[in-house]
């Protein structure tokens, strides 16, 4: 077995638990050696929970020579700063989504990583789960013919009824596109390749929100970011995609993602999950048929992108949840908003190479 890559985790909030659980118990090619959080008690709690030997303060964390790969689980406003600090300290870095809050910040990270010969990666990594891997395989093998079009819908009424601190979702850097768009767009581009141009339309339907969660009950939230965001995507391949992300609707019967081909249609599972089900329908069929998912990692596999990146560090191969694809997704999200603001169709300036599929027949926790 390849040597273990030494990992440091920055940001020890809610999402860190599943990452650290999987990186400790499922993906055996990494070893968490340090934690850090601006609220030290959080870092200490996670370190004790997962037997991590070191809890660092801010400066000591980046100076620790044992840390090879930083896992950045901070809030979105801090993603770029932590990424840049990590790279400047000579460490590879893998970040939670989104890759940045604007294209300029994303470019800084990409350019710095390339100049230093370091790897940068980014969530969401759900496209590496068995469900979306199966969909990619079916498309690549021509099960639905040549892809013609795609739809993606994330329809809900926002987070103020359940999230303990929902104000962020209605502030700059939040909104349905930056919160949930990365899952849907990463799934689409991993299956269909890069987007060439976009046209967007956005609006704020409700200028204020009232929190009904118990922690912030009755708090009035000013909405500063569009909460209904729709985009038309023209892919390099000629596929036309439609995406809607919204916090403004009460309910919907729309599918998460569907891909329409010249010889059939494919219904893709929720891109915020790692498993199935996967359905397809061809001419002559009366109804959709479920197809078995043949790939591993159908359970919650947060950390799979980190493990894959660690294998790339050791074996000098390309990692799958890579920075160029994450920057492209950021480019799409920003351009949808910018297109709406400017009333223009915008051409994207980013490209990326589609990540390789995992091999069939892998055991859980094994990626090569």
């Amino acid at each position: 077995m390849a040597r273990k890559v030494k990992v440091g985790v920055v940001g020890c909030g809610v999402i860190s638990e599943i990452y650290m659980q999987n990186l400790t118990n499922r993906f055996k090619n990494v070893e968490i050696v340090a934690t850090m959080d601006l609220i030290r008690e959080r870092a200490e709690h996670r370190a004790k929970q997962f037997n991590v030997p070191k809890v660092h303060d801010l400066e000591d964390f980046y100076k620790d020579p044992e840390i090879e790969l930083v896992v950045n689980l901070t809030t979105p406003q801090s993603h770029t700063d932590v990424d840049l600090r990590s790279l400047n300290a000579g460490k590879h870095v893998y970040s939670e989504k989104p890759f940045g809050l604007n294209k300029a910040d994303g470019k800084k990270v990409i350019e710095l990583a390339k100049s230093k010969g370091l790897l940068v990666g980014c969530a969401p990594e759900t496209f590496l789960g068995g469900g979306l891997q199966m969909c990619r395989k079916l498309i690549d093998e021509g099960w639905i013919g040549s892809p013609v079009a795609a739809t993606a819908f994330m329809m809900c009424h926002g987070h103020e009824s359940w999230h303990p601190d929902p104000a962020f979702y209605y502030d700059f850097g939040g909104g349905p596109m930056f919160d949930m768009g990365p899952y849907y767009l990463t799934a689409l581009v991993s299956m269909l390749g890069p987007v060439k141009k976009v046209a967007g339309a956005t609006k704020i339907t409700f200028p204020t929100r009232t929190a009904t969660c118990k922690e912030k009950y009755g708090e009035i939230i000013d909405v500063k970011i569009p909460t209904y965001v729709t985009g038309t995507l023209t892919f390099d391949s000629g596929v036309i995609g439609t995406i809607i992300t919204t916090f403004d609707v009460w309910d919907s019967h729309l599918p998460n993602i569907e891909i329409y081909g010249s010889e059939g249609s494919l219904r893709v599972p929720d891109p915020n999950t790692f498993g199935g089900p996967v359905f397809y329908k061809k001419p002559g069929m009366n109804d959709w048929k479920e197809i078995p998912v043949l790939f591993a990692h159908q359970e919650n596999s947060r950390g799979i992108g980190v493990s894959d990146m660690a294998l790339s560090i050791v074996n000098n191969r390309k990692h799958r949840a890579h920075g160029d694809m994450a920057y492209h997704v950021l480019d799409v999200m920003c351009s949808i908003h910018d297109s709406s603001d400017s009333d223009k169709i915008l051409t994207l300036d980013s490209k990326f190479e589609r990540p390789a599929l995992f091999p069939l027949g892998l055991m859980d926790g094994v990626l090569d």
Side-chain angles (χ1 to χ4, degrees):
M1 182 178 177
R3 71 171 181 86
K4 292 187 176 186
V5 170
K6 304 295 181 68
V7 169
V9 176
V10 181
C12 296
V14 174
I15 195 66
S16 67
E17 183 170 24
I18 186 62
Y19 269 92
M20 294 180 71
Q21 178 179 311
N22 286 335
L23 293 176
T24 302
N25 299 317
R26 291 177 68 187
F27 302 113
K28 302 297 187 180
N29 64 319
V30 297
E31 178 185 356
I32 304 174
V33 297
T35 61
M36 193 275 285
D37 194 288
L38 293 179
I39 301 174
R40 186 177 175 86
E41 291 78 11
R42 290 179 178 175
E44 291 173 342
H45 173 70
R46 289 287 184 246
K48 182 178 180 181
Q49 184 179 4
F50 294 103
N51 297 313
V52 178
K54 290 180 282 189
V55 177
H56 281 313
D57 294 325
L58 180 64
E59 295 303 323
D60 290 339
F61 181 87
Y62 296 104
K63 292 176 182 177
D64 187 338
E66 191 177 18
I67 297 172
E68 301 172 75
L69 169 57
V70 172
V71 178
N72 177 5
L73 306 181
T74 60
T75 55
Q77 300 96 324
S78 299
H79 286 175
T80 298
D81 178 64
V82 171
D83 286 354
L84 294 174
R85 281 175 178 260
S86 302
L87 294 167
N88 278 316
K91 304 178 189 305
H92 309 281
V93 62
Y94 182 94
S95 174
E96 248 301 320
K97 56 84 185 170
F99 191 55
L101 300 186
N102 56 67
K103 291 167 59 176
D105 284 349
K107 282 183 178 178
K108 287 179 187 176
V109 174
I110 292 291
E111 291 169 359
L112 182 60
K114 290 180 178 177
S115 72
K116 289 184 170 290
L118 295 167
L119 299 185
V120 61
C122 187
E125 55 201 345
T126 46
F127 78 98
L128 300 176
L132 288 173
Q133 290 281 290
M134 191 68 198
C135 292
R136 161 80 181 273
K137 180 178 174 63
L138 294 173
I139 293 169
D140 288 356
E141 293 182 351
W143 272 62
I144 59 170
S146 299
V148 174
T151 56
F153 302 110
M154 196 297 295
M155 317 290 287
C156 74
H157 201 73
H159 301 346
E160 63 269 24
S161 66
W162 61 269
H163 196 280
D165 191 16
F168 157 75
Y169 292 98
Y170 302 99
D171 205 344
F172 300 108
M177 180 55 74
F178 275 78
D179 177 41
M180 293 300 295
Y183 294 102
Y184 289 76
L185 289 168
T186 301
L188 287 173
V189 301
S190 71
M191 291 185 287
L192 301 172
V195 175
K196 179 168 61 177
K197 60 184 179 180
V198 305
T202 69
K203 69 173 182 175
I204 297 173
T205 302
F206 308 103
T208 63
R209 301 277 181 141
T210 302
T212 56
C213 58
K214 64 179 181 180
E215 294 85 353
K216 301 284 185 176
Y217 189 85
E219 179 179 295
I220 303 299
I221 302 167
D222 291 326
V223 178
K224 302 174 184 176
I225 193 78
T227 48
Y228 195 99
V229 182
T230 182
T232 300
L233 318 175
T234 302
F235 290 79
D236 280 356
S237 64
V239 171
I240 302 297
T242 302
I243 184 169
I244 298 175
T245 64
T246 181
F247 292 159
D248 292 351
V249 303
W250 291 104
D251 203 355
S252 167
H253 284 297
L254 292 168
N256 294 117
I257 296 177
E258 290 183 345
I259 312 295
Y260 312 108
S262 59
E263 299 174 22
S265 297
L266 184 67
R267 184 172 294 165
V268 179
D270 183 348
N272 194 19
T273 65
F274 288 85
V278 175
F279 294 92
Y280 76 99
K281 189 175 182 182
K282 290 193 172 190
M285 294 173 59
N286 292 325
D287 205 351
W288 294 84
K289 182 176 181 180
E290 184 173 356
I291 190 164
V293 175
L294 305 179
F295 289 86
H297 303 107
Q298 297 179 46
E299 304 300 322
N300 190 333
S301 299
R302 309 277 179 193
I304 191 172
V306 178
S307 177
D308 183 66
M309 191 170 169
L311 286 170
S312 298
I313 293 169
V314 173
N315 298 328
N316 195 31
R317 66 154 172 81
K318 292 184 177 180
H319 62 296
R320 291 172 171 85
H322 59 74
D324 287 340
M325 184 167 73
Y327 175 75
H328 184 71
V329 168
L330 176 64
D331 192 3
V332 174
M333 295 193 298
C334 292
S335 296
I336 288 172
H337 282 86
D338 292 345
S339 170
S340 179
D341 293 342
S342 65
D343 201 24
K344 294 179 180 178
I345 296 174
L346 299 182
T347 299
L348 277 64
D349 62 6
S350 59
K351 302 290 181 186
F352 73 96
E353 183 178 333
R354 275 201 314 163
L357 274 172
F358 282 128
L360 286 172
L362 294 177
M363 295 176 62
D364 185 77
V366 178
L367 306 185
D368 277 347

